[in-house]
Amino acid sequence: MEVATKDVFTLPPTSTLMNALKTMIKEHFRRIPIADAGTKRLEGIISATDFVNLFGGGSKFGIVKGKYGGNLAAAVNEEVEKIMETNVITVDFTDSFEDAVEIMFEKKVGGCPIVDKDDVVVGIITERDVLKYLGRSKNIDGVASDYMTKSVVTIKPKDTIEKAMKVMIEKKLRRLPVIDDGILVGLITVREILRYFGTGEAFRMLTSGNIRDAIEKPVSTILANDELLVYKEILTFPRDISISQLVSAMLDRGYGVALIVESGKLEGIITERDLIRFLYSKS
């Protein structure tokens, strides 16, 4: 609890998907715990990834296909409880920091609601919180090339937004570097896709039922719209950047990912989770 965010925003299970979508965009949330409006007892959680799954034709799309004949415009007025995750990975308010990190590693989640003995939400701990805490260490050594993911899944600017979502769903990814003729030109994340569907022309298409027009547009549509980009400038570094410099840059800028680039070509990707694994092993 000393590391966690204690002032937690929650939504009731009766809140609409559209309300959840708008709230995530406005508040820059990646996930929102779903709790009973009166008791605040945890009932589920909804994340940006769930919306990508819904819009991209993943398992969440089943509620649209079955109940609304594939009409997303109608489905986004459904209650969040229809697609929220009910088997929520939680941390007990008495657990130690180490317990929380181990749970996040084991379950491969980027954040966990913290609950008391009555399952009331009293906090939330995320990878960003953990990185801020571990990043205080003055004894950080190592270079990015030793801890980055080298086999990076990428996408092309001309590929459709639908394809980007399907790749994210299939590979369980939150981020996709965009490569054109071998050169890095951008980065697409689940949060950019949320902003795409929750604002502007794509939002009008979503609410009018013309969602096919929105998802069939190329990824370059998002890259060309500065208002949609969460990471307006991509953090790029050479292979020999030190872990300490990398951690400082990501925390200072509020970024969850950095790309390792040499001569314009993508060499690897390193995320908050990668850095946490490194720092935690040194703590």
Side-chain angles (χ1 to χ4, degrees):
M1 285 298 293
E2 294 176 10
V3 178
T5 299
K6 300 177 184 65
D7 186 16
V8 188
F9 182 91
T10 64
L11 284 175
T14 53
S15 180
T16 66
L17 290 170
M18 181 60 75
N19 184 37
L21 174 64
K22 286 291 191 180
T23 301
M24 282 185 179
I25 294 170
K26 179 182 177 182
E27 304 295 339
H28 308 290
F29 292 151
R30 192 182 290 167
R31 60 188 64 80
I32 300 177
I34 307 302
D36 182 88
T39 64
K40 295 298 182 183
R41 286 174 59 92
L42 183 68
E43 296 193 14
I45 194 166
I46 191 164
S47 68
T49 304
D50 292 325
F51 279 104
V52 170
N53 187 295
L54 174 66
F55 297 146
S59 58
K60 307 287 183 183
F61 185 72
I63 68 163
V64 182
K65 190 175 181 180
K67 188 172 181 180
Y68 297 101
N71 186 348
L72 276 168
V76 291
N77 290 309
E78 263 286 11
E79 297 175 346
V80 291
E81 63 182 354
K82 295 297 190 299
I83 73 164
M84 70 182 187
E85 292 294 332
T86 54
N87 296 320
V88 188
I89 307 302
T90 62
V91 174
D92 191 88
F93 77 113
T94 59
D95 283 343
S96 67
F97 171 75
E98 291 76 15
D99 290 333
V101 175
E102 294 290 347
I103 288 171
M104 291 168 72
F105 281 162
E106 179 187 350
K107 302 299 183 180
K108 298 180 179 178
V109 293
C112 295
I114 302 171
V115 295
D116 66 12
K117 58 183 177 60
D118 297 316
D119 275 342
V120 172
V121 181
V122 295
I124 190 167
I125 186 165
T126 68
E127 289 173 335
R128 181 68 48 82
D129 298 322
V130 174
L131 185 60
K132 284 180 180 177
Y133 180 77
L134 292 176
R136 298 172 183 171
S137 172
K138 302 301 181 184
N139 300 313
I140 304 173
D141 54 8
V143 294
S145 58
D146 292 333
Y147 301 96
M148 68 185 185
T149 298
K150 298 174 183 177
S151 299
V152 187
V153 179
T154 64
I155 199 162
K156 299 176 182 177
K158 65 181 180 181
D159 288 332
T160 65
I161 293 169
E162 180 179 30
K163 180 177 179 179
M165 292 190 292
K166 288 186 180 300
V167 171
M168 286 176 168
I169 295 166
E170 179 186 350
K171 303 292 185 181
K172 298 181 179 179
L173 298 171
R174 299 199 307 246
R175 311 167 179 97
L176 284 175
V178 185
I179 305 293
D180 191 18
D181 291 329
I183 302 299
L184 175 70
V185 296
L187 178 73
I188 295 294
T189 75
V190 291
R191 290 172 67 189
E192 265 102 19
I193 291 176
L194 237 65
R195 290 165 73 90
Y196 174 69
F197 283 109
T199 60
E201 183 184 6
F203 176 72
R204 289 190 290 273
M205 291 177 182
L206 172 63
T207 53
S208 66
N210 298 321
I211 189 66
R212 290 302 315 173
D213 292 339
I215 67 176
E216 288 175 357
K217 288 187 178 296
V219 166
S220 57
T221 304
I222 294 177
L223 295 181
N225 189 335
D226 194 56
E227 292 183 1
L228 296 178
L229 298 178
V230 176
Y231 301 139
K232 297 187 185 302
E233 295 179 10
I234 310 171
L235 278 184
T236 61
F237 296 98
R239 294 171 58 88
D240 60 354
I241 183 77
S242 70
I243 295 296
S244 59
Q245 289 175 294
L246 198 55
V247 170
S248 294
M250 288 172 68
L251 288 178
D252 287 345
R253 299 284 293 277
Y255 278 34
V257 61
L259 302 180
I260 308 305
V261 178
E262 296 284 352
S263 302
K265 294 190 176 181
L266 182 64
E267 297 283 335
I269 187 170
I270 192 160
T271 66
E272 287 173 324
R273 188 172 300 174
D274 297 322
L275 293 173
I276 289 169
R277 286 189 182 279
F278 169 79
L279 296 173
Y280 188 64
S281 69
K282 300 290 184 180
S283 63

